Amino acid sequence: MDEARPECDTTRSGFVALVGRPNVGKSTLLNALVGQKIVATSSRPQTTRHRILGIVTRRCEQLVFIDLPGLHTRQPHLINRAMNTVAIGSMQDADVLAVMVDATRWTPDDDFVLQQVRESGRPVVLLLNKVDRMKDRRQLLPMIAELRERFGTDDIVPLSALRGDNLQAVAEALIRHLPEGSFLFPEDEVTDKSLKFIIAELIREKIFVLTNREVPYSTAVHIERYEDRGDLVHIDALIWVERKSHKKIIIGSGGRLIKEIGIRARQDIENLLGKKVHLQLWVKVRKDWQDDLRSLREIGIEQ
Ligand SMILES: Nc1nc2c(ncn2[C@@H]2O[C@H](COP(=O)(O)OP(=O)(O)OP(=O)(O)O)[C@@H](O)[C@H]2O)c(=O)[nH]1
Ligand SMILES: [Mg+2]
């Protein structure tokens, strides 16, 4: 019995690594389980760049999710290799892997995921996401049978992270793999990252949603000032871009695009803080930062 929780016969807690190729819905699931938007999601692959903890505390269990960059085989920049290294390394820290696949698409990157999962030797719960998009639900059973063979696990949960369908079953399946023990984090904590980090991610998410091709990947966001003046928070954020041409695109004609990024980001930040926010965005060219180790360290991506 945990002395801090006399109502529980046993308490369980541990780490769950969210593993999968880019764009399968790992971060969407994390936000849904935590019940708050703490990580960026978008329809573009490689939205997540950092290892971010999302903590879900229930009455007698605490699941500490590790949201990770999607594993990918095309790695044109240092940042891509660093993201994969972080993801593969983090699998070893987990009590169980929540391996996510997309019910509507299997790609060569999924084969890479399968290989890494097998090599890790960690216990696996397979999450079959986006079932809301399946045209024919009768395909679900044969698909589950095939995945059972491939991943060598009977723990397979179909779900829709976007709609919030079957999240309870996801949590239950993962909890069975967690060791007995006291909670690892205070019960009101939802992440290990600072408020500044989350704010930078919310801004970066808007850039991912509102720009195309190589432009979102050329950007990183750094919070230069965070000043809480009681009922109003002043935030200055700097957006790095790799090229002058990208700067022009981010600003947009007559400053329209940067204004839109600011409006959307401010709404999310106000929701997060529960306060009014004054957000000022700046854009600066930082040539080839995706291949510069020092820049990667500055935004917290370590190899
Ligand atoms: N239809 C549908 N779309 C989903 C579902 N879950 C996530 N998505 C969408 O899939 C896209 C990718 O979601 P993310 O959560 O950013 O994916 P991710 O796996 O974290 O991707 P990376 O960070 O790039 O590795 C977004 O457009 C989501 O809205 C789902 O259950 N159903
Ligand atoms: Mg993600």
Side-chain angles (χ1 to χ4, degrees):
M1 192 175 82
D2 187 327
E3 280 168 24
R5 293 167 197 284
E7 71 275 25
C8 304
D9 289 339
T10 52
T11 52
R12 285 179 186 276
S13 62
F15 289 92
V16 180
L18 284 164
V19 179
R21 69 160 161 82
N23 212 34
V24 288
K26 301 178 293 298
S27 301
T28 304
L29 174 65
L30 184 81
N31 285 336
L33 287 168
V34 169
Q36 258 191 72
K37 189 172 178 63
I38 57 167
V39 292
T41 66
S42 87
S43 60
R44 276 173 221 295
Q46 296 168 40
T47 302
T48 302
R49 289 175 178 164
H50 299 80
R51 172 190 205 276
I52 305 168
L53 299 188
I55 304 156
V56 176
T57 301
R58 302 169 26 128
R59 205 163 66 100
C60 299
E61 301 98 13
Q62 188 174 62
L63 299 111
V64 184
F65 287 90
I66 315 172
D67 192 18
L68 293 169
L71 289 169
H72 53 288
T73 48
R74 212 183 77 79
Q75 302 164 10
H77 298 287
L78 182 63
I79 189 173
N80 301 107
R81 295 189 286 282
M83 281 157 62
N84 268 352
T85 306
V86 165
I88 292 166
S90 301
M91 287 160 66
Q92 289 307 323
D93 301 338
D95 295 291
V96 56
L97 306 181
V99 180
M100 187 178 273
V101 295
D102 179 335
T104 63
R105 217 155 77 92
W106 181 275
T107 75
D109 281 351
D110 291 295
D111 289 313
F112 182 55
V113 170
L114 175 59
Q115 180 198 337
Q116 295 302 327
V117 168
R118 278 202 190 127
E119 282 175 16
S120 80
R122 308 303 299 153
V124 171
V125 171
L126 196 75
L127 306 181
L128 182 56
N129 193 31
K130 307 198 186 183
V131 292
D132 58 287
R133 277 182 53 188
M134 282 180 83
K135 287 200 183 80
D136 181 3
R137 288 285 177 113
R138 284 173 304 185
Q139 288 172 356
L140 199 55
L141 284 180
M143 194 181 284
I144 287 174
E146 198 180 329
L147 289 169
R148 183 179 290 135
E149 285 292 306
R150 275 190 201 165
F151 284 88
T153 178
D154 286 328
D155 265 339
I156 302 179
V157 186
L159 76 147
S160 169
L162 192 65
R163 292 201 183 162
D165 292 344
N166 226 16
L167 301 189
Q168 189 68 17
V170 171
E172 298 297 336
L174 292 167
I175 283 166
R176 286 197 288 275
H177 293 275
L178 299 187
E180 286 185 15
S182 307
F183 289 3
L184 302 165
F185 290 88
E187 56 188 291
D188 54 355
E189 219 155 288
V190 291
T191 181
D192 62 325
K193 294 291 185 201
S194 67
L195 209 48
K196 269 189 177 179
F197 177 91
I198 295 173
I199 290 167
E201 285 290 280
L202 294 175
I203 297 167
R204 199 172 59 82
E205 178 187 84
K206 304 311 169 223
I207 300 170
F208 264 63
V209 170
L210 291 167
T211 63
N212 293 314
R213 298 157 64 100
E214 79 273 26
V215 178
Y217 301 103
S218 136
T219 60
V221 178
H222 200 262
I223 305 300
E224 303 276 292
R225 180 171 77 124
Y226 180 96
E227 215 177 289
D228 192 337
R229 295 202 194 143
D231 52 352
L232 185 68
V233 181
H234 285 262
I235 300 170
D236 286 352
L238 185 63
I239 301 171
W240 297 350
V241 292
E242 287 204 314
R243 316 245 171 283
K244 248 185 166 163
S245 58
H246 296 164
K247 179 172 175 173
K248 262 180 85 177
I249 293 170
I250 293 270
I251 291 172
S253 92
R256 263 199 290 273
L257 189 60
I258 193 136
K259 190 171 171 206
E260 185 61 26
I261 293 166
I263 289 170
R264 293 197 194 187
R266 181 166 51 83
Q267 280 167 354
D268 272 4
I269 300 166
E270 287 184 344
N271 280 340
L272 179 76
L273 302 178
K275 286 184 182 188
K276 286 266 163 237
V277 166
H278 184 266
L279 175 64
Q280 186 108 31
L281 299 177
W282 311 85
V283 188
K284 188 174 145 187
V285 178
R286 185 149 176 169
K287 221 172 159 311
D288 297 324
W289 68 263
Q290 291 188 84
D291 285 300
D292 172 34
L293 199 55
R294 199 171 65 93
S295 299
L296 295 186
R297 288 214 178 105
E298 243 179 88
I299 57 168
I301 297 176
E302 294 280 345
Q303 237 183 328

